[in-house]
Amino acid sequence: MGESVAGRLFSVLDAFEDGGPAALRLTDIAARTGLPAPTALRLVRELVAWGGLERGADGRYRLGLRLRVLGAAAPCPRGLLDAALPALRALGARTGGHADLAVPSAPPAGGVLCLVSGERPPPHATAYGKVLLAVPPAQLPRHTRHTVVSPGLLADQLARIRAAGLAVCAEEFRLGEVSVAAPVRGPAGTVAALGVTVPTGVPLDRVAAAVRAAATRVRPPQPPSQLPSP
């Protein structure tokens, strides 16, 4: 028996989870899933009707609002995001950039998940990912001419970031953007990365200070097993 309908639907969604483009054409989806184009088109249309995908004016498909709403309703990220929202709002207002909170993404997708935007940026090419990475990924695709793709150089960079408690990533993911992030720490260590993306050329000393201050204000919720007894 071939793969189930549910399995094929999940494979279409998985096509968006590799840190690549946030929007894909139907031909891209078919290539990434290995599905025949007519089958991919039928599944994509079903997902668009349900709200799991959205079709842009350029004909490309993006993850839909319904998936983001469901993901935000997950207990652990939802509680963490709620705790961080005041700091995120203040950071965005102070820097004029896009503030976000990132957590490690669960297998099999892996990588990093930004809870505000719903984006899954490549962990080796953003400040969020570099705060959360323990070791360099096996494969390091280049996104711009500034992307660090040498595992040795990235390992040295990660060590400096852990020591400094701050990551700055200049135009490694997208040209014209700089991301700055700091760890959000709980009792067991780093649980998230809080940061902001600003245009290239913004004074980074002021941004870095604002990111550090915002991250220290977040108090992650305790897991149920660590809550005090009534």
Side-chain angles (χ1 to χ4, degrees), residues 114-201:
C114 290
L115 299 182
V116 174
S117 66
E119 190 174 28
R120 294 181 183 272
H124 70 290
T126 62
Y128 299 102
K130 292 184 181 186
V131 166
L132 296 172
L133 276 178
V135 295
Q139 295 181 335
L140 300 174
R142 187 182 296 279
H143 297 273
T144 75
R145 65 181 181 273
H146 303 291
T147 308
V148 176
V149 295
S150 164
L153 290 177
L154 182 57
D156 291 343
Q157 192 178 54
L158 296 181
R160 292 194 299 271
I161 289 169
R162 286 193 292 270
L166 185 79
V168 178
C169 211
E171 298 191 324
E172 290 194 45
F173 182 31
R174 297 187 183 102
L175 294 177
E177 291 184 357
V178 179
S179 57
V180 183
V184 174
R185 295 189 170 97
T190 297
V191 298
L194 184 147
V196 67
T197 301
V198 296
T200 300

Side-chain angles (χ1 to χ4, degrees), residues 11 33 49 77 89 104 141 166 170 175 212 218:
S11 73
T33 59
R89 293 189 183 108
L166 185 79
L175 294 177
R212 287 184 188 275
V218 180

Side-chain angles (χ1 to χ4, degrees), residues 67-144:
L67 282 180
R68 296 183 181 182
V69 170
L70 290 173
C76 290
R78 180 73 260 174
L80 182 59
L81 180 57
D82 287 344
L85 277 176
L88 288 170
R89 293 189 183 108
L91 178 61
R94 184 174 175 184
T95 63
H98 171 73
D100 216 326
L101 184 75
V103 295
S105 183
V112 174
L113 171 64
C114 290
L115 299 182
V116 174
S117 66
E119 190 174 28
R120 294 181 183 272
H124 70 290
T126 62
Y128 299 102
K130 292 184 181 186
V131 166
L132 296 172
L133 276 178
V135 295
Q139 295 181 335
L140 300 174
R142 187 182 296 279
H143 297 273
T144 75

